[in-house]
Amino acid sequence: MVGMSVEQVLRQFELERHLKQRVAYTKVIEEKKACHCEISLKEPFQRYLKAKGIRLYSHQCKVIELLRAGKNVIITTPTASGKTLAFSLPVFEKVVEGASALYIYPTKALTNDQLKFIKEVEELAGLQLFPAIYDGDTPTSKRGEIREKARIVLTNPYELHQVLPWHAKWQRFFKSVKFVVLDEAHRYRGVFGSNVALLLRRLRRVCERYGSNPQFVLSSATLANPLEFSKELVGLDFELVSEDGSPRGRKYFILYNPYFDGKGTLSAHQETAKLLELFVKNGVHTLVFTVSRKMAELIARWTRQNLKASNLPEHVVSSYRAGYLPEERRQIENALKKGELLGVVSTNALELGIDIGSLDAVII
């Protein structure tokens, strides 16, 4: 593999006739500098930030202030702007004091990724937050212990639906729950969103029965009407944080048309495999989103075959989709994060805010 910069690879789209013909539109978004802020934090959290070399951005400080003031908050800053850290710091402050928190995620992959983040904070800050995942993969032998001891429970709407009728077993947790967090909230739309809205109202009634009145935190990078959306979903008023203080590198958007001449020579999926091969050959870490499980497998297979034909290692490309065993999903996620994989072809199972480390290109 040849390690090239993104700019060097994009230069090929200008020089190679096959690529140049298919580029219908290009847009460049220039870089933006960070806007930092200062806020009072307890010593363990200062220690964590120092260990990670993190300075808080302006929108993160605003989220912390609003949550400390007892407000419900919806955060709509862009991807990789530090939304999770922003709402987690005030949540952890209360958890250390004895409160509980419920984190709701739409996918198991995202749930597992966030558990790693919480455990990292525990280790570097020297805290005991007692986080645990409670979903369909949780062994029966561990469920009782989680109900009795966990302070931060990470789950999904489907599992919460199963838990609420058995709320008496969760009395300890529901009595002390102070925060309910819904990450990637834009997924809760349409009929599914209506069902989740009713689920959250059931949750609020259960909490009220046990004397708690939790604050709600919603997070999403892709919402056009956040205040209206949050009110309809949860049934409460929210404060909006949308002004982004994080830095941003230069980004390139390319509209690539395989049928530039009205017919094309390859299908859109085969063209995708060719583009992925180009990026992988040049050492560009690439994530491909496709329309189905079948196409995720086929595009990954075609790319591996092309790499093998060029006497290049084929194991640097993998598919990712629902239906894999939990261990297989974790293995792929970790390999992508560590840079062992240069290309992953996925359904929307991998789109929701998972920390996958350094990523250079995305093909949709």
Side-chain angles (χ1 to χ4, degrees):
M1 304 296 174
V2 179
M4 298 178 65
S5 69
V6 173
E7 287 77 9
Q8 288 174 312
V9 176
L10 292 179
R11 182 66 174 161
Q12 297 184 40
F13 283 79
E14 300 175 2
L15 300 177
E16 296 186 17
R17 183 172 179 271
H18 171 82
L19 297 173
K20 186 176 181 179
Q21 288 176 326
R22 288 160 174 75
V23 175
Y25 177 75
T26 301
K27 182 176 181 179
V28 179
I29 298 180
E30 296 298 337
E31 62 183 26
K32 179 176 75 72
K33 293 184 178 180
C35 179
H36 294 287
C37 68
E38 299 293 334
I39 194 168
S40 175
L41 292 171
K42 293 182 179 179
E43 195 276 332
F45 302 110
Q46 293 179 6
R47 186 163 59 244
Y48 167 75
L49 296 179
K50 184 177 181 180
K52 296 291 291 183
I54 295 174
R55 288 184 63 196
L56 294 178
Y57 303 127
S58 56
H59 66 276
Q60 293 174 316
C61 290
K62 185 175 181 181
V63 170
I64 294 171
E65 290 170 351
L66 288 170
L67 289 177
R68 284 176 172 175
K71 305 292 185 180
N72 302 306
V73 177
I74 178 164
I75 315 164
T76 60
T77 53
T79 301
S81 61
K83 294 188 291 292
T84 299
L85 180 63
F87 62 70
S88 290
L89 287 176
V91 170
F92 296 162
E93 286 179 340
K94 291 297 183 181
V95 170
V96 170
E97 296 173 2
S100 300
L102 179 64
Y103 282 53
I104 303 173
Y105 294 98
T107 67
K108 293 179 180 179
L110 188 53
T111 305
N112 281 279
D113 192 66
Q114 296 309 309
L115 179 63
K116 293 176 186 176
F117 161 72
I118 296 173
K119 287 186 173 181
E120 181 186 59
V121 174
E122 272 192 312
E123 180 182 353
L124 296 179
L127 299 172
Q128 287 188 316
L129 301 173
F130 302 103
I133 292 175
Y134 197 97
D135 61 19
D137 292 337
T138 304
T140 304
S141 60
K142 294 184 178 180
R143 295 192 170 211
E145 183 180 11
I146 292 173
R147 288 194 296 266
E148 293 301 319
K149 295 182 179 180
R151 284 292 178 185
I152 301 177
V153 173
L154 301 96
T155 190
N156 56 65
Y158 311 100
E159 187 65 29
L160 183 60
H161 172 67
Q162 301 298 326
V163 164
L164 288 180
W166 300 93
H167 56 80
K169 292 186 175 183
W170 290 82
Q171 286 188 49
R172 177 202 64 85
F173 182 81
F174 286 129
K175 283 180 179 178
S176 61
V177 66
K178 175 64 177 173
F179 292 99
V180 177
V181 176
L182 291 97
D183 205 357
E184 303 296 339
H186 61 274
R187 286 295 296 269
Y188 306 123
R189 62 185 186 273
V191 175
F192 179 48
S194 298
N195 284 309
V196 172
L198 293 173
L199 179 68
L200 295 176
R201 283 155 177 78
R202 289 169 56 200
L203 172 63
R204 288 173 54 203
R205 286 199 297 272
V206 169
C207 290
E208 184 178 1
R209 172 172 179 160
Y210 293 107
S212 63
N213 182 27
Q215 294 172 244
F216 282 78
V217 183
L218 273 59
S219 173
S220 173
T222 53
L223 276 176
N225 57 338
L227 289 176
E228 178 187 1
F229 173 86
S230 55
K231 178 71 178 287
E232 292 294 327
L233 183 66
V234 182
L236 298 170
D237 292 324
F238 278 74
E239 297 290 333
L240 172 63
V241 177
S242 58
E243 293 294 328
D244 180 25
S246 65
R248 180 184 64 216
R250 178 179 291 182
K251 295 181 180 179
Y252 300 85
F253 286 85
I254 297 177
L255 184 59
Y256 189 88
N257 182 14
Y259 308 112
F260 71 101
D261 57 357
K263 52 182 181 180
T265 55
L266 298 172
S267 71
H269 302 302
Q270 291 171 321
E271 287 277 7
T272 299
K274 288 290 185 181
L275 288 175
L276 178 57
E277 177 191 357
L278 170 68
F279 289 141
V280 169
K281 280 183 175 179
N282 289 286
V284 176
H285 289 79
T286 305
L287 181 58
V288 178
F289 289 113
T290 189
V291 295
S292 67
R293 298 182 184 186
K294 179 179 179 180
M295 290 316 308
E297 296 287 352
L298 284 174
I299 292 172
R301 180 191 298 178
W302 293 334
T303 306
R304 287 194 294 265
Q305 289 173 345
N306 293 338
L307 291 172
K308 186 176 181 180
S310 301
N311 295 319
L312 294 171
E314 55 183 303
H315 65 272
V316 296
V317 173
S318 174
S319 55
Y320 184 102
R321 58 175 175 80
Y324 286 173
L325 294 173
E327 298 79 16
E328 293 175 315
R329 294 197 299 267
R330 301 297 88 73
Q331 185 179 4
I332 296 171
E333 293 163 17
N334 290 331
L336 183 59
K337 184 181 294 187
K338 294 176 182 177
E340 296 169 0
L341 286 174
L342 285 176
V344 172
V345 187
S346 176
T347 60
N348 61 2
L350 197 59
E351 75 168 330
L352 296 172
I354 301 169
D355 181 5
I356 53 177
S358 177
L359 186 65
D360 301 312
V362 176
I363 303 174
I364 301 175

